Amino acid sequence: SPVTAMTEAQRKAFFINLYNLVVLHAFAQVGIPQADLHRYSFFDHVGYEVEGHFLSLNDIENGILRANKTAPYHLNRPFGRDDPRKQLSLPECERRVHFALNCGAASCPPIKNFTPESVDEELRVAALAFMEMGENLFVDEAKAVVCVTKIISWYKSDFGDSDIEVAQTLLPWMRQDAREKVQRIIESTGGVKLRYMPYDWSTNASMHKEYNPRDLKTKKGGRCCSIL
């Protein structure tokens, strides 16, 4: 059925799975970005055509799954007021996609398959699993500091307007011991300080070529590469 006719659950599962597929396909087809500027180009200009509309990786993540919110280090929303792709956007930002989308880096969440029938439970489990990993969450109770994945810094507005709001949003996905430490910090100090862990952009892909924006084909609206 047309994507626009999908239910919200169907759309979530479809576009999470599509994003993860596009990254893997793009690594093989156009290469892996190594420098920051090349990463910006890769996520902005590499994607698939879906029902006649080009969707970059940033369009899928920020335009659709985050309900047309501005991507990190960008100035504008992915879809303008009259952009026909805007009808694909979820009605509200789905913050748990940050525990489900895999951009190919070592610090990304592992790839899982999401189903329309159980996508909300699958996202809950993905969030729990991601936040259980020591490289994504560490609580220093003595210093009243919560160290979290850099992903939370990039998309902080999806989780709250302040450090304490973000920490409270993350609480349900923390393992019990970490959750209790954070709760004690908040109760004793009235707040919490967030710190962000370094992000590992390395990849396990072997025999890969390096992505170069100059190799992309020019399409209407600028440089982009529809790899399917």
Side-chain angles (χ1 to χ4, degrees), residues 30-126:
V30 299
I32 300 174
Q34 302 295 327
D36 286 342
L37 288 177
H38 284 189
R39 291 190 190 101
Y40 301 147
S41 170
F42 180 86
F43 292 105
D44 277 341
H45 300 300
V46 174
Y48 279 0
E49 284 194 11
V50 178
E51 296 183 353
H53 298 297
F54 176 77
L55 293 173
S56 70
L57 288 161
N58 268 339
D59 292 334
I60 295 172
E61 178 176 12
N62 303 290
I64 297 173
L65 295 169
R66 295 183 65 230
N68 205 30
K69 294 184 70 173
T70 304
Y73 309 111
H74 287 62
L75 298 176
N76 302 310
R77 297 173 185 266
F79 305 149
R81 183 180 60 184
D82 300 321
D83 193 323
R85 299 174 300 170
K86 194 174 180 180
Q87 63 185 325
L88 300 175
S89 300
L90 295 180
E92 294 182 358
C93 173
E94 174 51 85
R95 60 171 68 107
R96 296 171 299 177
V97 299
H98 301 306
F99 311 121
L101 298 179
N102 184 295
C103 70
S107 288
C108 284
I111 294 176
K112 300 179 184 295
N113 183 60
F114 292 85
T115 63
E117 298 79 13
S118 305
V119 66
D120 282 320
E121 174 62 13
E122 290 162 353
L123 283 170
R124 187 187 72 83
V125 171

Side-chain angles (χ1 to χ4, degrees), residues 137-141 145-147 174-175 178-179 181-182 185:
L137 173 70
F138 173 76
V139 182
D140 188 335
E141 190 172 1
V145 169
V146 178
C147 300
M174 296 181 187
R175 59 187 182 273
R179 184 168 60 248
K181 287 180 181 179
V182 174
I185 291 172

Side-chain angles (χ1 to χ4, degrees), residues 21-23 25-27 29-30 46-49 54 225-228:
L21 174 64
V22 172
V23 171
H25 189 182
F27 277 8
Q29 191 78 11
V30 299
V46 174
Y48 279 0
E49 284 194 11
F54 176 77
C225 179
S226 177
I227 56 177
L228 187 67

